[in-house]
Amino acid sequence: MSASVVAERAVVVGAGLAGLRGAEALRRAGFTGSLTLVGAEAHRPYDRPPLSKHVLTGAVAADATTLPSFLPLEAEWRLGTAVTGLDRRNGRVRLADGSSLAFDRLLIATGTRARAWPNPHEGRLAGVHSIRSREDATALRTALAAGPRRVLVIGGGFIGCEMASACRTLGIPVTLVEPSTAPLARVLGTHMGDVIGALHTARGVEMRCGTEVEWLEDDGRGRVVRAHLSGGDRIEADLVVVALGAVRNTEWLAGSGLSADAGGLDCDADGYALDTEGRVDARVAAAGDVARFPHPLYDGRRVALEHWSHAVAQAEHAGRLLADRKACSHYAAVPTFWSTQHGINIKSVGLTEGADGLVIAQGSPKEGRFLAVYGREGRCIAALSVDCARWLPAYAAQVAARAPFPPIHGAIDQPEHRPVLPPGFS
Ligand SMILES: Cc1cc2nc3c(=O)[nH]c(=O)nc-3n(C[C@H](O)[C@H](O)[C@H](O)COP(=O)(O)OP(=O)(O)OC[C@H]3O[C@@H](n4cnc5c(N)ncnc54)[C@H](O)[C@@H]3O)c2cc1C
């Protein structure tokens, strides 16, 4: 270890999953300088996936989600204090409490926040919720435990679907409204979206697809009572969950000269931050939900992922990168994601965007247990398993190898006919 490395100062902005794993990777790679993690939330890093699953049903307490540390970090924690600005010229970040921190290496891991309901007045009504933080999940758990007459979930993405699932587990009537013709259509296409939608319908979720919530009405005392849909229909609901996706936390980078917007902070293929001229700042790396980077598996298309395992892998990469600038090559991990809905395990590898074909490779949607593979221009680009994760690693290898599509012939449990279906992306 050189003397200059020992004397250096590393700052991690964002004390979530990526911030924690990135800080650990820095240490593991031999960084012995000072290390400070700054987090806007008052908590040590915690795990978000249980917040829309087991915390809502009461199986896990929200404060039991603290992430384990895998090594002593010997770090200073500045929690409950947001970073408000980045001065790259002087190598400092400014904090909301008026103080500032000098850095030689900076890891940006500020993640995302829940997209707010577009009408702020309606969004503030009692009974209107979203899920991103521990506090959000605690508030929702309390509201669910009080026994609402009907829950309305706005948005049929993964969080919205998990919310609907939690309601049914608790025996609470729930309606899910989604503007596309099927839930999860944006990520999985309408073909698979219809399959997932049918699973929800069979378990008592009232699915209202192809329509939008236009506005939320209150009872005159500030509590939501119903929603008005675009076609004129109304839904009586005393609990509304807004699940409209996420916005990246990049506002604090305004004026820093880095290339960042609501879609993420731009990075090069290694993970270094790019400035607005496209130049690398080799003191600054980014990881997790906030980072937008060119993925080599997808022809260098810039992607920003919101996947737990990606946050871990990219943070570990970024920590190594910041510890030893020569030690790293491009970040190329295959994206993976999982979700649990109605006790059904849904997993995916790769990215479906741009898919032009879909095959059911094993099992059958009718049986509720299958594995589907997405292809593009004759190559495997993604796979989805529904209660059938056992074979997924084999397809992950095919996705990583950009293997020919349709994939693997002669697998067990394979349907006799495997037509290539339109995945249903518009
Ligand atoms: C309810 C929920 C369920 C999920 N379920 C799954 C799942 O089943 N499977 C899956 O693969 N993924 C899931 N995810 C996604 C996964 O949790 C995220 O991909 C992961 O949390 C990303 O980690 P991160 O550290 O990049 O961001 P975050 O977890 O968002 O952490 C970023 C941290 O930075 C802080 N911060 C923001 N701005 C500032 C600032 N200016 N200064 C200081 N600190 C700041 C934030 O407060 C936050 O604590 C889920 C997410 C949510 C919200």
Side-chain angles (χ1 to χ4, degrees):
M1 182 70 42
S2 72
S4 63
V5 171
V6 173
E8 286 196 357
R9 298 152 299 183
V11 171
V12 177
V13 182
L17 175 65
L20 175 63
R21 297 295 173 241
E24 287 172 350
L26 252 173
R27 285 291 190 225
R28 209 175 282 120
F31 180 78
T32 55
S34 72
L35 174 59
T36 307
L37 288 96
V38 191
E41 295 182 79
H43 315 289
R44 287 277 177 123
Y46 61 89
D47 212 19
R48 294 185 199 275
L51 302 183
S52 51
K53 305 174 185 72
H54 306 99
V55 170
L56 295 183
T57 56
V60 170
D63 60 7
T65 53
T66 302
L67 285 163
S69 284
F70 296 134
L71 76 172
L73 271 185
E74 289 169 31
E76 188 189 340
W77 293 84
R78 299 284 296 268
L79 298 176
T81 316
V83 170
T84 53
L86 167 60
D87 173 359
R88 287 192 302 136
R89 184 133 62 110
N90 295 306
R92 297 192 85 84
V93 288
R94 291 184 295 277
L95 276 62
D97 63 7
S99 64
S100 71
L101 288 169
F103 67 84
D104 304 293
R105 296 151 201 237
L106 178 67
L107 175 60
I108 294 178
T110 44
T112 57
R113 61 182 181 276
R115 190 184 300 281
W117 182 245
N119 180 317
H121 167 72
E122 292 170 18
R124 281 193 296 270
L125 294 176
V128 178
H129 294 249
S130 59
I131 325 175
R132 180 79 204 171
S133 67
R134 237 180 208 184
E135 286 76 12
D136 295 339
T138 302
L140 253 176
R141 169 66 197 148
T142 306
L144 290 170
R149 284 193 309 281
R150 176 167 291 273
V151 175
L152 167 65
V153 179
I154 307 178
F158 278 105
I159 304 263
C161 285
E162 290 178 359
M163 181 69 219
S165 158
C167 290
R168 292 312 300 141
T169 302
L170 295 167
I172 298 169
V174 56
T175 303
L176 187 150
V177 174
E178 160 61 40
S180 306
T181 58
L184 299 172
R186 194 180 56 81
V187 257
L188 302 182
T190 51
H191 193 101
M192 280 299 125
D194 283 339
V195 172
I196 305 287
L199 296 175
H200 280 271
T201 304
R203 284 153 185 85
V205 177
E206 193 202 4
M207 281 285 174
R208 300 290 301 266
C209 293
T211 185
E212 283 181 54
V213 174
E214 284 200 327
W215 63 284
L216 300 172
E217 185 180 341
D218 66 57
D219 62 358
R221 293 188 301 279
R223 167 160 282 280
V224 71
V225 283
R226 67 183 60 86
H228 294 255
L229 305 189
S230 46
D233 284 358
R234 301 162 170 202
I235 294 174
E236 306 294 316
D238 45 353
L239 182 57
V240 172
V241 182
V242 177
L244 296 176
V247 180
R248 286 169 170 80
N249 293 317
T250 52
E251 290 82 353
W252 66 281
L253 292 167
S256 69
L258 293 181
S259 174
D261 56 32
L265 165 62
D266 286 312
C267 301
D268 74 352
D270 287 347
Y272 288 122
L274 295 173
D275 71 11
T276 50
E277 307 292 321
R279 291 173 304 220
V280 160
D281 186 333
R283 295 166 304 167
V284 185
D289 286 8
V290 76
R292 182 168 54 193
F293 63 102
H295 203 300
L297 252 186
Y298 298 94
D299 305 317
R301 178 159 54 85
R302 290 189 313 154
V303 296
L305 305 175
E306 294 169 33
H307 301 173
W308 190 94
S309 49
H310 160 72
V312 173
Q314 197 179 37
E316 289 175 349
H317 179 94
R320 288 194 299 273
L321 189 72
L322 287 175
D324 181 354
R325 287 156 193 170
K326 291 184 286 302
C328 272
S329 53
H330 292 352
Y331 173 76
V334 179
T336 63
F337 184 86
W338 85 92
S339 173
T340 309
Q341 296 166 30
H342 307 287
I344 299 164
N345 182 256
I346 300 172
K347 281 186 151 191
S348 75
V349 297
L351 298 177
T352 56
E353 199 181 312
D356 54 23
L358 171 78
V359 291
I360 305 300
Q362 290 181 250
S364 143
K366 277 201 190 102
E367 291 164 17
R369 193 187 59 77
F370 65 95
L371 203 145
V373 180
Y374 292 80
R376 181 183 185 176
E377 294 168 2
R379 302 274 150 199
C380 293
I381 59 165
L384 171 77
S385 72
V386 173
D387 261 357
C388 191
R390 190 170 156 221
W391 300 108
L392 197 58
Y395 295 92
Q398 302 227 342
V399 169
R402 298 168 66 119
F405 174 86
I408 306 181
H409 294 283
I412 74 164
D413 195 18
Q414 201 160 66
E416 220 169 281
H417 302 293
R418 295 192 308 152
V420 176
L421 308 161
F425 289 107
S426 46

